[in-house]
Amino acid sequence: MNLLESVSVPCPYCGEAMDLEIDCAAGNQEYTEDCPVCCKPVTIVVTIALNGTPSVEARPEDA
């Protein structure tokens, strides 16, 4: 298990890739980050599996 994982998820607004560094040691997370292309706020939801692998979802801020 890596403590930091690099993941890429599409922006729910413009579809461009958002490259994120996920801290797997922090456990499940939810935070807001602006898309680097369209600058709209995106809710990032991170779920860490029992084996330490992150699952990352990008949602529109208003969802």
Side-chain angles (χ1 to χ4, degrees):
M1 171 180 82
N2 292 330
L3 294 180
L4 287 178
E5 290 281 341
S6 295
V7 298
S8 182
V9 294
C11 171
Y13 298 103
C14 69
E16 289 293 324
M18 295 177 61
D19 295 323
L20 306 170
E21 287 289 322
I22 303 300
D23 181 359
C24 297
N28 296 340
Q29 307 161 48
E30 185 171 322
Y31 61 93
T32 301
E33 185 162 321
D34 290 342
C35 173
V37 176
C38 71
C39 300
K40 291 188 178 180
V42 178
T43 299
I44 305 297
V45 180
V46 179
T47 305
I48 307 297
L50 292 176
N51 66 359
T53 304
S55 173
V56 182
E57 181 183 357
R59 298 179 184 164
E61 179 66 25
D62 53 3

